[in-house]
Amino acid sequence: MCTVTTGSVGAAKKHQKHRPQLQPKKSVSKIKTKDKKRKSSKGNSKRNLKKNGTESETPLVKVERVIVERPTISQQLTFLIDQYQSDNGQLSSLERDSLKETCIVEQGQDNAGNLVGDLKVAFGSSWKEVLCEKHLQEGKVEPGSPALLVISSSALRSLELLREFRSLTGDCHAAKLFSKHMKIEEQVSALKNRVNIASGTPSRIKKLIDMEALGLSRLAVIVLDMNTDVKGYSLFTLPQVREEFWDLYKSYFHQPLLEGGIRLCLYGPMILNSGAKKRKQPKGA
């Protein structure tokens, strides 16, 4: 005959007390039924829209992009306005009217990559005097005031572009305006002489202008380097550099550009939108 001790009975009861209760399964099937009804109603409403002819086509959303090696004046201007508004908000109607194609330097379509040749044309018959002479002229050519400024996303790219100007900088050396391996005190000292051509990065250029070491009295053309680095970033897409560029542009270049005092040259391959696919959308949406 088996005997059950009081302790074992108590333990069994205690175990039964803490056993979790199972949830009924019928709620799961109810949820599935509701989901089916929702999907069905969505499908019916979409079919009704098509049947009643209340759907219209609007141009959007997927945009195809093309690379243009030598952008025209119109393409450069459109790109500049789009980039400005994307990062800084809409231009006023007055500003839009002031940004004309005369603000942009034309790039020769048959001389691919000949930046120096394009700039000689931009400066006209006085290009040699403006870009090559080495002597200061009181009241006309002030120290540290370049006629041509090149803005790039990096120090390495600034040096690469300066190599293209070797034929112009034999007598009057170009100013290197970037922070890598360059002390600002050395740059301030170099800008006490005549400077015709300067190349650098947005942050250091703005700092030197703020310090009144870099002058803008002779500035006629700004070259914006469109080249992309190994990671695909450029002056307009590398996050920190892009912010520094727009800070520099809005502080010192936007108003002179509107007034026709300076011109821009967006140099290098440019990625442009070629069009958009259509998306169906209900009328009145």
Side-chain angles (χ1 to χ4, degrees):
M1 184 174 184
C2 266
T3 59
V4 180
T5 62
T6 307
S8 61
V9 172
K13 285 183 179 180
K14 189 176 181 182
H15 180 69
Q16 287 176 354
K17 271 185 184 179
H18 294 283
R19 184 181 297 168
Q21 293 183 355
L22 296 175
Q23 296 293 328
K25 291 184 177 180
K26 60 181 180 179
S27 59
V28 176
S29 61
K30 284 183 179 180
I31 292 169
K32 286 183 179 178
T33 305
K34 286 180 180 178
D35 286 343
K36 285 180 181 178
K37 286 180 179 179
R38 286 196 196 103
K39 287 178 182 178
S40 176
S41 63
K42 283 181 181 178
N44 288 336
S45 60
K46 193 171 182 180
R47 281 193 293 272
N48 289 336
L49 283 172
K50 287 181 180 179
K51 188 177 178 181
N52 297 331
T54 53
E55 276 199 355
S56 62
E57 290 190 351
T58 54
L60 266 148
V61 152
K62 191 173 181 180
V63 176
E64 294 179 2
R65 297 187 173 185
V66 293
I67 298 175
V68 179
E69 293 293 332
R70 301 284 284 173
T72 63
I73 290 178
S74 177
Q75 288 171 331
Q76 291 182 65
L77 183 59
T78 300
F79 180 89
L80 177 71
I81 291 172
D82 288 346
Q83 291 295 317
Y84 180 91
Q85 294 188 145
S86 174
D87 285 329
N88 305 287
Q90 294 294 311
L91 290 163
S92 68
S93 57
L94 183 61
E95 288 175 317
R96 285 295 295 262
D97 292 341
S98 299
L99 285 173
K100 300 176 182 178
E101 292 189 355
T102 51
C103 299
I104 304 296
V105 171
E106 184 175 9
Q107 299 182 44
Q109 298 301 307
D110 25 347
N111 269 340
N114 188 2
L115 176 61
V116 173
D118 292 337
L119 292 172
K120 285 180 179 179
V121 173
F123 280 96
S125 58
S126 62
W127 69 264
K128 195 168 185 178
E129 179 187 346
V130 175
L131 298 176
C132 302
E133 292 291 332
K134 66 177 181 179
H135 299 295
L136 291 169
Q137 298 177 29
E138 192 174 346
K140 188 176 179 182
V141 179
E142 298 177 2
S145 298
L148 172 63
L149 179 63
V150 183
I151 306 177
S152 304
S153 60
S154 68
L156 181 61
R157 183 59 185 164
S158 294
L159 289 172
E160 287 175 357
L161 285 170
L162 281 179
R163 292 189 190 103
E164 297 192 28
F165 294 101
R166 279 177 178 169
S167 61
L168 305 177
T169 56
D171 293 329
C172 184
H173 298 304
K176 301 170 184 176
L177 310 179
F178 43 79
S179 58
K180 192 172 185 180
H181 306 308
M182 297 287 292
K183 292 182 179 179
I184 198 164
E185 292 81 10
E186 295 173 352
Q187 291 167 332
V188 170
S189 178
L191 290 170
K192 290 178 180 178
N193 302 308
R194 173 165 176 164
V195 175
N196 298 323
I197 300 171
S199 179
T201 52
S203 177
R204 180 53 61 92
I205 289 171
K206 184 176 186 298
K207 189 168 186 179
L208 288 164
I209 297 173
D210 290 343
M211 293 171 64
E212 298 184 354
L214 178 64
L216 303 177
S217 61
R218 292 178 65 218
L219 188 60
V221 175
I222 301 173
V223 175
L224 303 180
D225 179 32
M226 302 297 297
N227 183 71
T228 54
D229 61 20
V230 291
K231 294 183 179 179
Y233 289 112
S234 71
L235 181 66
F236 289 96
T237 58
L238 190 60
Q240 183 177 348
V241 173
R242 180 185 67 217
E243 292 172 11
E244 291 168 350
F245 167 72
W246 286 122
D247 185 27
L248 168 65
Y249 173 85
K250 289 186 293 182
S251 299
Y252 294 108
F253 304 143
H254 185 61
Q255 196 58 38
L257 186 69
L258 295 177
E259 294 170 357
I262 60 174
R263 287 184 290 168
L264 298 182
C265 175
L266 281 68
Y267 174 68
M270 185 179 290
I271 300 175
L272 301 173
N273 298 335
S274 65
K277 291 187 178 180
K278 292 183 177 179
R279 180 180 71 180
K280 289 186 177 180
Q281 182 177 319
K283 283 181 179 178

